[in-house]
Amino acid sequence: PRYGFRSDLYVHFFYRGLQLLKPGGVLGALTSASFLTNATKEHLRRELLRHDLRVVAPLGPELFDARVYPAITLVQKGEGDAGGSRGVGFLDLRRAGKQEILEPDLVERRSSWIEASEYRQAFGAVFFDPTAENRRIFRDLLTASDTEGSRPETERDHRLDPPPHDSRDRGGERAVGVRRFVRLGEVAPALDTGIHSGNVRERLFYRDPVPDRPLHRLLQGTQVVRYGVWWDNPEARYRYVDLGYRIDPERKGTGRGGRPSARREYWHFCGSVENHHVVERLLMRQTGDAPLVGYLYQGQEQLYTDNTLHTLLLSQRGRELGFSYLYLLALLNSGPLARIYRALAQEEGRMLAQVKTAVANHLPLPVPKGGDADELETLVGEIQGIHRFHGLPLPPTAVERVAILQRAIDRLVGSLYGL
């Protein structure tokens, strides 16, 4: 607080270290790897790129006796605001053992080199892994619209904790070859509208009905499957919510594992409660490191979601461009979109609880053209028909048929993206 610094402590050490160094001096840091991708750390990434960023090396979680994803960073302080001109060595050590990391020629032998300008122009200046596919995805599908409207380099604020440079949602269409693309945020933005159960989870959510208590049906991540919703999933911990629960301002809540919470009771809706009442919508969650989207038609009944799910509502702009919920389902549940999502998020292999809305809303979607949307909608409709006919879980023969249909969807979507 003395220095007016609001970010994680290790970010302060980066800024302070670069302040103390003479031009040409080198700062080496072993920190959390969260700054490589986290949207709130974009200002730090751009500050490092203002100098000569030499090496970025994400490490695996097995190197320390804690569940942490670390990274090694080497940055040489530049002269003035000229910007880093040398190549950045991206050294992927996420699967390397302790002995391999100690090899003296590791950087020269294992680094993938990338121009600093590629990172500066990337979505959110994310430090992406420069594989051939990732570079192609950023170059052909993502970067052209990211820099529109960006502030000039000379206008950046270089205080210790500058406001983030926001390149996440510029709007507008662009073309790759003969195909037009538009971002998900313009067509059906991922909205954080779930119920945050705060520290009264066990008093707010219930697995079974409670006598003499009016409860509403609840959906959690485990109840949303690809292309549909499985409310009766036996793995669901909760299926009902007590929207009439009133917090007791004199009582402290309950934390994780039943431990007493340090805070008084609280819970809230993350967004507009009206989004839970929409008759037709998509629900997005994350499984592993890829998004998964289900379809919900609830009629007059109101199903509520917790905050592991995000709601997607088709916008008027999306309808005008010819998008439908079935077409969106085909795109967002496909293998090619999972690859693009991983390129944006750069968090391969991490079991994350929730999809990131900034990343999801930046996904490029091909504008329907000719009959390509019809074919994909037909395939999705057949999968949903199988779900309705057999119910969930599906029998083995139905699972095999759905897998065949999914491969057909992946091939068609892959051709739209050239992947």
Side-chain angles (χ1 to χ4, degrees):
R2 177 177 178 180
Y3 291 96
F5 199 83
R6 299 181 298 278
S7 194
D8 291 329
L9 189 60
Y10 73 83
V11 181
H12 175 83
F13 278 86
F14 270 117
Y15 276 94
R16 189 67 176 135
L18 287 169
Q19 283 182 340
L20 293 171
L21 281 173
K22 295 178 180 179
V26 175
L27 173 65
L30 175 60
T31 70
S32 163
S34 61
F35 80 93
L36 302 180
T37 59
N38 197 305
T40 63
K41 304 297 186 289
E42 183 177 343
H43 63 85
L44 172 60
R45 293 191 292 272
R46 293 194 180 277
E47 175 65 14
L48 295 176
L49 290 167
R50 192 170 67 89
H51 302 277
D52 283 325
L53 180 60
R54 310 305 300 276
V55 175
V56 174
L59 303 168
E62 300 83 13
L63 297 176
F64 297 94
D65 294 328
R67 189 64 178 176
V68 59
Y69 290 86
I72 295 170
T73 308
L74 296 175
V75 57
Q76 186 170 19
K77 184 169 181 177
E79 299 265 3
D81 290 334
S85 57
R86 305 180 186 181
V88 179
F90 188 96
L91 183 58
D92 188 353
L93 300 177
R94 286 173 289 189
R95 296 172 180 83
K98 293 183 179 180
Q99 290 303 314
E100 188 176 3
I101 290 174
L102 296 175
E103 295 175 6
D105 61 344
L106 182 67
V107 173
E108 291 77 8
R109 185 167 49 84
R110 287 277 304 276
S111 290
S112 299
W113 298 98
I114 186 169
E115 292 292 331
S117 60
E118 288 191 64
Y119 282 147
R120 283 196 288 265
Q121 295 169 7
F123 161 73
V126 165
F127 288 164
F128 64 89
D129 185 352
T131 63
E133 177 169 286
N134 284 347
R135 291 176 107 152
R136 181 184 172 197
I137 287 172
F138 273 88
R139 182 185 68 245
D140 293 348
L141 295 173
L142 302 173
T143 58
S145 60
D146 287 344
T147 54
E148 295 173 8
S150 297
R151 290 181 294 159
E153 293 288 313
T154 54
E155 293 183 16
R156 285 201 317 268
D157 187 343
H158 293 310
R159 295 174 300 168
L160 273 180
D161 193 19
H165 172 110
D166 189 355
S167 63
R168 289 186 290 279
D169 195 9
R170 300 272 176 231
E173 301 173 37
R174 66 169 301 235
V176 177
V178 297
R179 173 70 58 177
R180 287 193 305 155
F181 287 84
V182 66
R183 287 198 291 274
L184 176 65
E186 298 175 60
V187 172
L191 305 172
D192 188 4
T193 61
I195 296 172
H196 191 307
S197 57
N199 59 6
V200 295
R201 191 176 185 84
E202 303 293 338
R203 303 166 193 165
L204 187 70
F205 293 162
Y206 296 87
R207 179 177 175 81
D208 301 305
V210 178
D212 303 322
R213 180 171 294 184
L215 302 179
H216 290 78
R217 291 215 290 171
L218 175 72
L219 286 169
Q220 297 182 287
T222 55
Q223 294 160 289
V224 173
V225 298
R226 214 175 295 276
Y227 303 109
V229 167
W230 184 13
W231 184 74
D232 290 319
N233 186 347
E235 294 183 5
R237 185 175 181 183
Y238 303 105
R239 293 200 190 97
Y240 295 93
V241 56
D242 181 7
L243 296 178
Y245 183 79
R246 298 291 179 263
I247 62 173
D248 183 349
E250 301 302 319
R251 180 168 59 174
K252 290 187 177 181
T254 303
R256 291 185 180 274
R259 294 186 298 272
S261 171
R263 295 182 59 180
R264 303 293 179 183
E265 288 190 341
Y266 73 97
W267 73 273
H268 60 84
F269 282 95
C270 294
S272 172
V273 67
E274 299 301 321
N275 291 332
H276 297 262
H277 304 161
V278 178
V279 171
E280 185 180 28
R281 53 187 159 135
L282 301 183
L283 299 175
M284 175 183 281
R285 68 176 173 91
Q286 184 163 313
T287 176
D289 47 23
L292 183 151
V293 181
Y295 173 79
L296 174 64
Y297 185 88
Q298 63 181 6
Q300 298 303 311
E301 186 178 12
Q302 295 173 359
L303 275 77
Y304 292 83
T305 65
D306 74 353
N307 63 345
T308 62
L309 294 171
H310 292 81
T311 294
L312 278 64
L313 301 176
L314 193 57
S315 68
Q316 183 60 36
R317 169 70 170 157
R319 296 181 191 277
E320 292 171 353
L321 289 172
F323 284 86
S324 68
Y325 281 121
L326 293 185
Y327 181 57
L328 286 170
L329 281 167
L331 296 176
L332 296 172
N333 284 319
S334 69
L337 246 292
R339 288 154 65 185
I340 294 171
Y341 179 85
R342 282 192 289 267
L344 273 173
Q346 285 299 302
E347 293 181 311
E348 181 181 357
R350 299 193 189 184
M351 301 300 289
L352 304 177
Q354 292 179 232
V355 72
K356 291 177 169 53
T357 54
V359 173
N361 285 328
H362 203 78
L363 288 170
L365 304 182
V367 177
K369 175 185 175 183
D372 48 28
D374 296 338
E375 195 169 356
L376 286 169
E377 288 172 355
T378 300
L379 292 167
V380 172
E382 185 173 345
I383 292 176
Q384 292 181 325
I386 293 172
H387 284 187
R388 287 192 297 270
F389 181 80
H390 292 283
L392 294 169
L394 296 175
T397 54
V399 170
E400 183 178 345
R401 178 58 184 165
V402 168
I404 292 172
L405 294 170
Q406 184 61 58
R407 288 196 291 271
I409 290 172
D410 288 346
R411 283 195 298 270
L412 286 171
V413 174
S415 67
L416 298 181
Y417 286 95
L419 293 176

